[in-house]
Amino acid sequence: MQHRGVTVWFTGLSGAGKTTISHALADKLRSQGCKLEILDGDIVRENLTKGLGFSKEDRDTNIRRIGFVAHLLTRNGVIVFVSAISPYRAIREELKEKIGDFVEVFVNAPLAVCEDRDVKGLYKKARSGEIAQFTGISDPYEAPENPTVECRTDLETLEESMAKVMKTLEELGYLTAE
Ligand code: ADP
């Protein structure tokens, strides 16, 4: 597989499937020889953006820093998967403009489904008030109006979601079979 640098930005509610899709796809592409890096919101918050909270200002700073690193890697030919809730539309649009080679993947499942999955037990804590400013419960999520790809993870299998993203990357010329 030949590839060009691109930032693939997975946005969506907690539990929507960003980590699951991006990691599965990363394994697949790496096994086919692609240079790929994952910037996962949860991990980035432990180092690159340690100390930031969940106010709009801090969330925007978090996303801008992730975007800065993604841009550096992208222009050096790396495929970058960003997996972060990234709830605010304006900042996603800002990075789309700045990076250029940018594919927005809306990982979409209804809030009720994400809450029912409660992968990390965070929704329960958000409902009880133990966690404040939780996206979807006590903080906004601005869904993309025109994402490059939408994965409806409540309606499709992981394989179907992965295939959609792969197909888009091929169609846009970021991936080509040798
Ligand atoms: P996020 O990273 O968005 O917080 P996770 O990937 O941690 O979400 O959790 C998503 C959950 O949804 C996982 O338990 C996963 O197995 C499940 N799931 C069901 N269908 C899909 C699908 N089509 N794509 C991705 N995840 C799915």
Side-chain angles (χ1 to χ4, degrees):
M1 200 64 100
Q2 290 231 338
H3 67 274
R4 291 201 291 127
V6 60
T7 291
V8 184
W9 197 284
F10 296 84
T11 171
L13 294 173
S14 177
K18 302 179 296 297
T19 307
T20 306
I21 298 172
S22 58
H23 280 77
L25 207 51
D27 288 348
K28 184 179 165 126
L29 291 176
R30 281 175 172 147
S31 76
Q32 294 177 21
C34 293
K35 265 204 283 187
L36 188 149
E37 203 52 71
I38 297 179
L39 296 171
D40 180 288
D42 290 339
I43 294 167
V44 166
R45 275 184 175 277
E46 288 169 12
N47 43 73
L48 181 68
T49 63
K50 197 175 170 73
L52 292 177
F54 295 89
S55 64
K56 178 171 190 306
E57 199 188 357
D58 276 10
R59 285 180 188 270
D60 282 352
T61 303
N62 179 46
I63 295 307
R64 269 200 194 96
R65 285 191 200 162
I66 296 174
F68 176 80
V69 176
H71 192 190
L72 296 182
L73 292 165
T74 295
R75 71 184 191 203
N76 278 286
V78 178
I79 299 175
V80 185
F81 284 179
V82 176
S83 164
I85 297 173
S86 35
Y88 294 107
R89 194 176 292 135
I91 187 99
R92 296 193 307 264
E93 291 298 319
E94 179 186 308
L95 294 177
K96 190 183 293 178
E97 288 294 311
K98 197 174 276 179
I99 298 174
D101 291 301
F102 186 101
V103 168
E104 187 178 39
V105 181
F106 180 22
V107 183
N108 187 13
L111 175 65
V113 172
C114 296
E115 193 167 355
D116 197 45
R117 287 177 183 161
D118 211 2
V119 188
K120 298 173 214 151
L122 296 175
Y123 282 97
K124 196 156 169 275
K125 289 186 181 168
R127 287 291 182 196
S128 72
E130 202 180 316
I131 300 179
Q133 292 182 298
F134 193 76
T135 302
I137 305 292
S138 44
D139 223 45
Y141 178 74
E142 299 173 358
E145 279 166 345
N146 193 19
T148 328
V149 191
E150 181 175 356
C151 297
R152 275 297 302 264
T153 65
D154 57 323
L155 303 175
E156 53 199 53
T157 63
L158 171 60
E159 288 68 30
E160 286 168 333
S161 298
M162 288 166 67
K164 271 186 179 176
V165 180
M166 278 287 284
K167 185 163 173 275
T168 302
L169 293 177
E170 285 166 6
E171 282 172 358
L172 295 175
Y174 291 112
L175 287 175
T176 17
E178 269 181 314

